[in-house]
Amino acid sequence: MIRFIHKRKQLQVQRLGLALLAAILCPVLFSACSTEKQIGRSVKKVFADSPVLKKYYAGFALYDMATARMLFERHADQYFTPASNTKLFTFYAGLKMLPDSIPSLRYVERGDSLIFWGTGDPSLLQSKLKGTKAIEFLKASPKKLFYAPGRYTGDFYGSGWQWDDYNEYYQAEINELPLMDNLLSLKAENGRLSMVPRLLKDCLSADSGDTQKTFSVTRDFYTNHFKYPAIPLPAGYSQEVPYKVSLPLTLSLLSDTLKKTVMLAKMKMPADAKTVYNMRTDSVLKAMMLPSDNFIAEQLLLVYANQLGEELNTSKAISYIEKTYLSELPDKPRWQDGSGLSRRNLFTPRDMIKLLELIYKQVNNPVRLFNMMPAGGKSGTLRNAYPKTDQPFVFGKTGTLSGVHNQSGYVLTKKGKTYIFSFMNNNYVVPTADVRNEMVRVMTYIHEKF
């Protein structure tokens, strides 16, 4: 009987403890739920009252990482053309797949010969990164140099790219050993036209039949024949035009840069080929993200493929990344290229939210992460979108095509919260500035209000 009474008292104490715990926690939980609902209602009203957002198809999602709850959704489960928001997928894959530095060349030594293969490394003599470690390695070798092509099995353009953009700087060709951005860089210097690489100087000529009044260089689609109108060269002129990648040109550029002959070899890369590393991975990822560099994004997918084996193939790299690292996405993405140039890419806003959460956890260092991303009013493609500031509150990626303008990233609030957001705008005919300004207005409201 005494033992029974003792157990009953224990049970009473346990129940009392649970009741006290519930009394403490319930107001807290109720307050949290109430705050989430308040945020949801407030943002919903902002969208409902917007005359701009009524004019086109817009998707939005706002997520609280602290509570792992979605605060507001609008068409968040619908698919949108992401444009350069695609680079967030490429960025995440780089965080997962690359070591501290970018693999730049693979090589073997056979007797008096050094045979090397490309990895797709975009930093190799790239105009801003100026990666030279692989070049210095080849220069320092006393052996005969042989370049062995054939690892890249894709096309010179990505899936779904527009062929009529071939002359634009943002659509450089894709290949396994890119050099100097795969671009011909031109500018006016002391009244004369200078160019890099200089090796292409004899491919440039004036066209007396060209009647255009603005000075610009146009390349023939199939060849490296560049023409410009026979008019005076304006001061301050600069332009970048993709050159036509070819094996003879690659060998010539390498030989010219190294000041030694590079010959051709037909040899499959062995599995035990050694690796030469070039730039720091963070530096290359940042160089892709801040100015939204399409060339770097596309070439990085080949670098990821290099980590998997002998073949460099964009679609196979994407397939591996999706299966290995993106199984948590709520909606199956349609991912076609590394940069977002393809209109065949389709992602949902809630996919972008989950991806950004994965990125945040992978980096596990907000200072490092935000340093690699455009910052509203301060750096990258968000520099001019928000008012100039040294204390940005939005960090993320933009994405723009005709009729497409998106922002996805992180917003810091005045109350010390960090939310993930994805704001996707498709199929509009209003000026892009109107769309951008409305996104800024909404994100500024969230920053100031919550």
Side-chain angles (χ1 to χ4, degrees):
M1 176 66 73
I2 293 173
R3 183 179 298 174
F4 175 76
I5 294 172
H6 179 68
K7 286 184 176 181
R8 187 168 64 181
K9 286 185 177 180
Q10 281 184 323
L11 184 61
Q12 289 174 341
V13 170
Q14 289 174 351
R15 286 175 178 173
L16 178 61
L18 290 172
L20 289 171
L21 181 63
I24 295 170
L25 290 180
C26 278
V28 175
L29 294 173
F30 178 78
S31 176
C33 292
S34 177
T35 300
E36 290 172 1
K37 289 181 179 179
Q38 179 186 356
I39 293 172
R41 286 194 298 266
S42 298
V43 177
K44 181 178 181 179
K45 188 174 187 306
V46 170
F47 272 80
D49 293 344
S50 170
V52 177
L53 291 168
K54 290 182 173 70
K55 296 180 180 179
Y56 53 84
Y57 191 49
F60 184 78
L62 185 67
Y63 178 80
D64 185 353
M65 285 190 292
T67 62
R69 294 174 68 92
M70 197 74 82
L71 302 177
F72 177 73
E73 296 179 84
R74 173 191 169 100
H75 303 317
D77 61 345
Q78 301 299 301
Y79 285 90
F80 289 80
T81 300
S84 282
N85 272 200
T86 305
K87 292 183 178 73
L88 287 166
F89 281 75
T90 307
F91 179 79
Y92 179 59
L95 296 173
K96 298 294 289 187
M97 297 183 69
L98 295 183
D100 290 341
S101 299
I102 302 290
S104 189
L105 295 177
R106 305 290 297 278
Y107 74 97
V108 294
E109 293 177 315
R110 298 286 188 268
D112 65 348
S113 301
L114 187 151
I115 303 100
F116 62 95
W117 294 261
T119 65
D121 174 21
S123 67
L124 194 60
L125 298 179
Q126 200 257 358
S127 57
K128 296 180 179 64
L129 292 168
K130 304 183 187 300
T132 60
K133 287 184 179 179
I135 292 296
E136 294 303 323
F137 169 79
L138 295 176
K139 277 185 178 180
S141 174
K143 298 180 180 293
K144 296 177 182 178
L145 300 180
F146 291 86
Y147 169 54
R151 295 189 70 196
Y152 179 48
T153 57
D155 294 323
F156 59 83
Y157 282 161
S159 172
W161 286 14
Q162 295 186 180
W163 71 269
D164 55 347
D165 283 346
Y166 79 93
N167 204 68
E168 304 296 335
Y169 74 93
Y170 53 76
Q171 195 158 297
E173 294 188 3
I174 305 168
N175 71 318
E176 63 200 86
L177 189 64
L179 298 167
M180 306 173 189
D181 313 61
N182 286 353
L183 294 172
L184 175 63
S185 298
L186 306 123
K187 62 180 177 179
E189 284 188 346
N190 301 319
R192 301 183 67 179
L193 188 60
S194 69
M195 67 191 70
V196 176
R198 287 284 299 166
L199 201 64
L200 291 170
K201 65 181 184 301
D202 293 334
C203 300
L204 185 67
S205 62
D207 182 3
S208 58
D210 191 336
T211 58
Q212 66 177 352
K213 297 181 180 180
T214 302
F215 189 96
S216 65
V217 172
T218 303
R219 195 199 84 211
D220 178 75
F221 182 79
Y222 296 103
T223 67
N224 280 319
H225 291 157
F226 300 85
K227 294 184 178 181
Y228 57 89
I231 59 176
L233 176 67
Y237 161 81
S238 66
Q239 186 182 357
E240 293 177 318
V241 181
Y243 63 71
K244 186 70 182 170
V245 172
S246 69
L247 183 54
L249 179 59
T250 297
L251 291 173
S252 295
L253 287 172
L254 282 171
S255 298
D256 183 66
T257 302
L258 296 170
K259 307 304 179 188
K260 57 200 302 187
T261 301
V262 178
M263 294 170 282
L264 182 65
K266 292 185 178 180
M267 179 177 172
K268 185 177 180 180
M269 188 186 77
D272 63 348
K274 297 178 181 179
T275 301
V276 178
Y277 293 90
N278 205 18
M279 301 289 298
R280 297 280 296 178
T281 298
D282 275 16
S283 298
V284 177
L285 293 177
K286 181 177 180 177
M288 172 185 69
M289 294 293 285
L290 264 66
S292 198
D293 193 299
N294 295 334
F295 166 75
I296 294 178
E298 297 302 335
Q299 294 294 153
L300 278 175
L301 284 182
L302 301 193
V303 180
Y304 305 159
N306 172 75
Q307 303 299 87
L308 306 177
E310 195 271 336
E311 183 183 7
L312 303 184
N313 184 280
T314 296
S315 60
K316 290 185 178 181
I318 289 174
S319 179
Y320 174 85
I321 295 162
E322 287 181 325
K323 291 176 183 177
T324 310
Y325 304 117
L326 298 175
S327 60
E328 296 180 59
L329 297 184
D331 306 298
K332 182 174 176 56
R334 191 167 82 180
W335 182 12
Q336 298 291 308
D337 69 0
S339 65
L341 276 174
S342 177
R343 286 184 179 267
R344 293 177 185 171
N345 293 311
L346 288 172
F347 306 142
T348 67
R350 65 183 187 180
D351 269 353
M352 302 305 302
I353 294 292
K354 186 61 186 180
L355 177 69
L356 287 158
E357 184 181 32
L358 291 172
I359 288 172
Y360 195 90
K361 291 178 179 178
Q362 178 66 29
V363 177
N364 196 30
N365 182 334
V367 174
R368 176 190 166 209
L369 174 58
F370 294 163
N371 181 57
M372 290 189 284
M373 304 190 83
K378 185 176 183 181
S379 64
T381 52
L382 285 172
R383 180 179 181 180
N384 297 322
Y386 290 79
K388 184 177 180 180
T389 180
D390 289 326
Q391 295 182 316
F393 59 84
V394 167
F395 300 86
K397 188 72 201 71
T398 58
T400 306
L401 293 169
S402 176
V404 173
H405 194 50
N406 310 315
Q407 285 183 25
S408 296
Y410 310 90
V411 55
L412 313 183
T413 75
K414 285 188 173 180
K415 294 182 179 179
K417 299 285 188 179
T418 300
Y419 296 145
I420 302 176
F421 74 96
S422 181
F423 207 145
M424 308 187 80
N425 306 278
N426 282 195
N427 303 326
Y428 61 81
V429 294
V430 299
T432 296
D434 292 354
V435 179
R436 181 186 303 111
N437 292 340
E438 192 65 3
M439 281 198 290
V440 170
R441 186 183 73 84
V442 173
M443 298 317 302
T444 302
Y445 173 84
I446 292 170
H447 161 70
E448 292 181 345
K449 186 77 173 178
F450 310 118

